[in-house]
Amino acid sequence: MTNRRWETPREEIYAANETANGELGFYIVADGSGVAYRARTRPPSFIHFAIFPYLIEGHQLSDIVAVLGSLNVIAAELDR
């Protein structure tokens, strides 16, 4: 339905919302057409899991499972 579109401005926006695990962010770039040129999501578990290699330094192999469990990572957010 091409006659139902609206004019969108040419700009970028980042909006964030506080969720249970941290900040959930959305980045959208509009090029003036009716659809987004680029849209990205920044889930909180992605940032939490990024520090995992630094957290396990100096720990034993058996401690890695406990460290990962303490992060409260949602695996579905990590699948990109």
Side-chain angles (χ1 to χ4, degrees), residues 6-69:
W6 59 84
E7 292 293 324
T8 57
R10 297 179 136 208
E11 62 181 284
E12 303 176 16
I13 187 166
Y14 178 80
N17 187 19
E18 188 67 28
T19 62
N21 289 340
E23 181 182 273
L24 175 63
F26 295 96
Y27 175 70
I28 300 172
V29 178
D31 61 353
S33 66
V35 295
Y37 174 73
R38 172 176 287 197
R40 298 286 185 253
T41 303
R42 181 192 164 273
S45 292
F46 187 71
I47 301 302
H48 294 165
F49 192 68
I51 65 166
F52 182 65
Y54 302 105
L55 292 176
I56 62 173
E57 286 181 6
H59 285 78
Q60 294 182 356
L61 189 61
S62 60
D63 295 334
I64 293 176
V65 176
V67 172
L68 182 61

